[in-house]
Amino acid sequence: MNTARLRDRIAASDPGLLRLAAGLRTVGAIALTLAVLGVLGVSVPHLVAGAIAAMVATFAIREKQRAPQAVTLALGLPVALASLSLGALLSSRVVAGDLFFVVLIFCAVYGRRFGERGTALGLIGFQVYFVSLFVGATVSGLPELYGVLGVAFLCSAAARFLLVPETPAGLLERLREAFRARLAQLVSAQLGLLDAGPGEIDEVLETVREGTARLHETALMIQGRLEEGTADEATARLVQRRIADAEIAAERLGLLLLTARSAEQADTLTLHLPGAPAPRAGRMPGRDEAMAQVRRDLEALRLLVLRPVAARSGTALSQVRNRLLGYREEDRLPPAPPAVQDVFRGIGETARAVLGLRIALDGPQDESDDSPATARSREELDAEDAVMDAGEADGEAQEELTGLERPTTRAAVQVAVGSALAMVGGEFLSSQRWYWAVLTCWIVFLNTASTGEILVKGYRRLLGTVLGVLAGIVLAGVVGQHTWTAFALVLVLVFAMFYTAPLSYTLMSFFVTAALGLLYTLLHTYSLSVLVLRVEETALGAACGVIAAAFVLPVRTDRRTNDLLVTVLERLDEVTEAAVDQLSGGTPVELLDQARDLDQALADLRAATQPLTHPITPLRARRDTARYVVALLETCAYHARSLAATAELLPTHPSIAADPRLRRAGRRIGDNIAAIAAHLADEHSAAAVETGPSIASLLETEVPGTPRFGRVTDRVLRHVQRLDETLVGLARPLHVPVSAPKR
């Protein structure tokens, strides 16, 4: 049991074991390269060159399929050989060498426009040229260095395809297990909401927030791997839908628990916005028998997520599953206050989502022990699968950018200018170690798109470098000249670097610098002054990167966040309009893909606002506004996803039917989204967000005897109402005019 629990924790903390696999694959390639070169008896500088080349050849390749990976690795070797040769030939020609290095940097960054292969080849070319400078490659030593590179690339291939292989299907399976583990962790966190006292509620809410965000992160990762990891498109779409159902059901269950606890209607702002007021810490209604039953049911739900129902009939787990699915029937709900009964309904819907997820991932199951409620849930799932292939939305034609408008061209020009400045400044600091400034300038431009992002990344790299220098001093003193002990420590640091890279850029920089301190020791060039120079060159490179980003074809953080904000609003409008149209009786369209596009746009915006929300920013008001806006958009995205999921149930769910009156409400939401987007594009726009009667009142009919909400469930009304209210709330921090309620 402890082993299984540890495995679940690892799967949840590292979805798909991506970080672990990346670290082991890179360390395996380096260790194998060192072993082969050690047997061949090469010199220590060549051992260092082989280790760095093996590392670069391994981490540079990011393609998902094995065949493209092999092609890119094969093409990378001649690129590496050419880069190494030019580095050796130009080492004695300072001006020509510097000019070529700038051209190489430009081409390497520009190569990103050709996809993952262009990015990988550019990275290999740049890093191998850097290796030639680091080990002092000469023309006379090229033959032996050619052999070292050949060994490094072969060992990288062996590590990738033999030692730590990765298949799309295997990776997707690990991501699925990670989703199950994170779903179970979220249910465990929600259990804490039942009994948290006044002094514990903030901590419990933070745990629920983190669990919800991590579940969403894993769902997005699975989405990116579905096409390569499943046998056919139908299977991919089935898994996609079931993952989305489980995610939405689990998040809604958390909201229902918050509502029951506070006796007030909760929305996702409480879940997504750190520092939001916690619900009142009073006792939950019906705490005695009903709440004891809720606790038992949540524990049972967690067990259902982690463990499949046994094949033989009559098992306790199958009986638990039948009981939880029974809560989807009104006559099976336990006696309790309305808010607590909503929790039971949420548990039933989540259990249904878990059942659908289990069928999608593990195939058909034994049905001999099904209760009538479970049988109905299976029928609904089968009916949904039957209508899944309703057709795909046509892709929108995207405007092709040209020249300096293209992001890759702009970035290439910026990094080339920044690197040229770093070369000049680096030469003043050291005629031998100037390339550290160039390397830092190059790195701060990777995966960044605005001046603010580059500034934050440069600051984090400098901080990690300073701390790494201190660690390098200690490690160098401990290791001394023990070559293989030093290489063993380098392997440990490289693994730590790759394992922590997605989590903290500062930690990654720390481990890189500590490893470099050991490599300097092996090259007999270690000294305190060298490590201090490393800090100076890093600071210079970061400064040159920021200067280039700020003055050469700059992309201001405000401009980028505004552009991404408009994109999020466009995706939100698409999802909401399509979902409301379908709920109103319109033609069914593919909603899940649109919902995932919205999620990805929101993730891009969240990353772009990091410079505004970073703790060191002096603009506190802007920081709070950015956090508030992102939180409101996350609220909108949740309700839009829920509307999309509900709309897709229309053909099969007996309690949900189309209601043409919803079009009126959808029209107001669409107009308000357009008004906010227009104001972001032009602050002088006269468009205003419209307020007025509640969504429920918009559904009133003038026909006598017509039921008020006869064909629209409370769930749909709640999501539409919250989306409408949140958009009005979004207008205020963005300074969009709000029109007076119409009489």
Side-chain angles (χ1 to χ4, degrees), residues 408-424:
T408 49
T409 306
R410 180 191 296 113
V413 172
Q414 288 177 325
V415 74
V417 173
S419 298
L421 294 174
M423 284 179 188
V424 175

Side-chain angles (χ1 to χ4, degrees), residues 4-19 174-186 210-211 213-219 221 302 306 499 503:
R5 186 171 298 175
L6 177 62
R7 185 172 61 250
D8 291 338
R9 285 182 178 273
I10 294 174
S13 64
D14 182 13
L17 303 180
L18 294 177
R19 303 200 316 269
R174 294 199 301 273
L175 284 171
R176 293 168 180 172
E177 291 303 317
F179 186 85
R180 287 171 174 164
R182 285 194 164 177
L183 180 56
Q185 284 186 348
L186 178 56
E210 289 181 0
R214 288 181 174 182
L215 187 69
H216 185 61
E217 171 196 3
T218 308
M221 294 174 70
R302 181 183 181 279
L306 291 176
Y499 195 78
L503 303 177

Side-chain angles (χ1 to χ4, degrees), residues 140-488:
S140 61
L142 280 178
E144 190 171 356
L145 282 172
Y146 289 159
V148 168
L149 283 185
V151 169
F153 273 74
L154 287 174
C155 290
S156 175
R160 178 177 295 276
F161 300 118
L162 298 177
L163 297 181
V164 192
E166 179 183 283
T167 62
L171 177 58
L172 183 58
E173 178 60 31
R174 294 199 301 273
L175 284 171
R176 293 168 180 172
E177 291 303 317
F179 186 85
R180 287 171 174 164
R182 285 194 164 177
L183 180 56
Q185 284 186 348
L186 178 56
V187 174
S188 297
Q190 291 170 348
L191 265 165
L193 288 174
L194 298 180
D195 298 316
E200 302 169 330
I201 184 64
D202 289 334
E203 182 179 351
V204 171
L205 275 177
E206 182 60 29
T207 304
V208 173
R209 290 187 195 107
E210 289 181 0
T212 304
R214 288 181 174 182
L215 187 69
H216 185 61
E217 171 196 3
T218 308
L220 287 178
M221 294 174 70
I222 292 174
Q223 171 70 14
R225 300 281 180 167
L226 277 176
E227 292 184 5
E228 295 85 5
T230 49
D232 51 53
E233 184 178 353
T235 303
R237 295 178 69 77
L238 175 61
V239 174
Q240 178 188 18
R241 170 176 293 199
R242 297 305 170 221
I243 290 289
D245 287 347
E247 178 191 353
I248 292 170
E251 185 169 0
R252 183 168 180 266
L253 178 58
L255 297 177
L256 292 173
L257 284 166
L258 283 174
T259 298
R261 179 186 176 87
S262 61
E264 297 173 357
Q265 181 65 50
D267 62 22
T268 50
L269 182 59
T270 309
L271 283 177
H272 290 300
L273 184 59
R280 292 180 300 188
R283 295 174 61 84
M284 293 183 70
R287 176 171 290 276
D288 299 329
E289 290 186 20
M291 295 318 301
Q293 183 64 44
V294 167
R295 184 178 297 99
R296 287 194 297 269
D297 288 340
L298 286 174
E299 291 172 349
L301 179 62
R302 181 183 181 279
L303 196 61
L304 279 180
V305 172
L306 291 176
R307 293 175 55 187
V309 176
R312 63 183 184 277
S313 62
T315 61
L317 202 57
S318 64
Q319 295 173 8
V320 167
R321 177 200 61 195
N322 292 340
R323 176 166 56 80
L324 298 187
L325 288 172
Y327 293 151
R328 303 183 67 231
E329 310 287 341
E330 290 296 320
D331 58 351
R332 302 290 300 275
L333 292 173
V340 180
Q341 283 197 328
D342 280 344
V343 173
F344 284 113
R345 293 187 185 95
I347 291 174
E349 291 298 331
T350 308
R352 178 204 187 260
V354 171
L355 175 64
L357 185 63
R358 185 71 65 184
I359 294 173
L361 300 184
D362 300 336
Q365 299 174 318
D366 179 70
E367 303 178 15
S368 60
D369 205 35
D370 283 0
S371 67
T374 302
R376 279 190 290 273
S377 294
R378 289 190 191 275
E379 290 172 1
E380 290 175 7
L381 292 169
D382 292 340
E384 290 172 18
D385 297 343
V387 299
M388 187 175 297
D389 298 324
E392 298 184 7
D394 295 331
E396 295 182 2
Q398 295 185 352
E399 181 182 355
E400 180 68 22
L401 299 178
T402 59
L404 296 178
E405 294 178 346
R406 187 181 291 120
T408 49
T409 306
R410 180 191 296 113
V413 172
Q414 288 177 325
V415 74
V417 173
S419 298
L421 294 174
M423 284 179 188
V424 175
E427 288 281 1
F428 283 106
L429 289 176
S430 171
S431 60
Q432 295 179 325
R433 313 285 181 196
W434 54 269
Y435 45 78
W436 288 120
V438 179
L439 180 66
T440 299
C441 183
W442 155 279
I443 288 176
V444 297
F445 272 94
L446 293 178
N447 300 319
T448 54
S450 70
T451 306
E453 291 178 67
I454 292 169
L455 178 61
V456 170
K457 192 171 184 180
Y459 152 76
R460 289 172 174 168
R461 183 166 183 83
L462 181 60
L463 177 60
T465 300
V466 171
L467 298 176
V469 163
L470 299 177
I473 294 172
V474 175
L475 292 176
V478 172
V479 173
Q481 297 300 319
H482 300 288
T483 300
W484 294 109
T485 303
F487 273 123

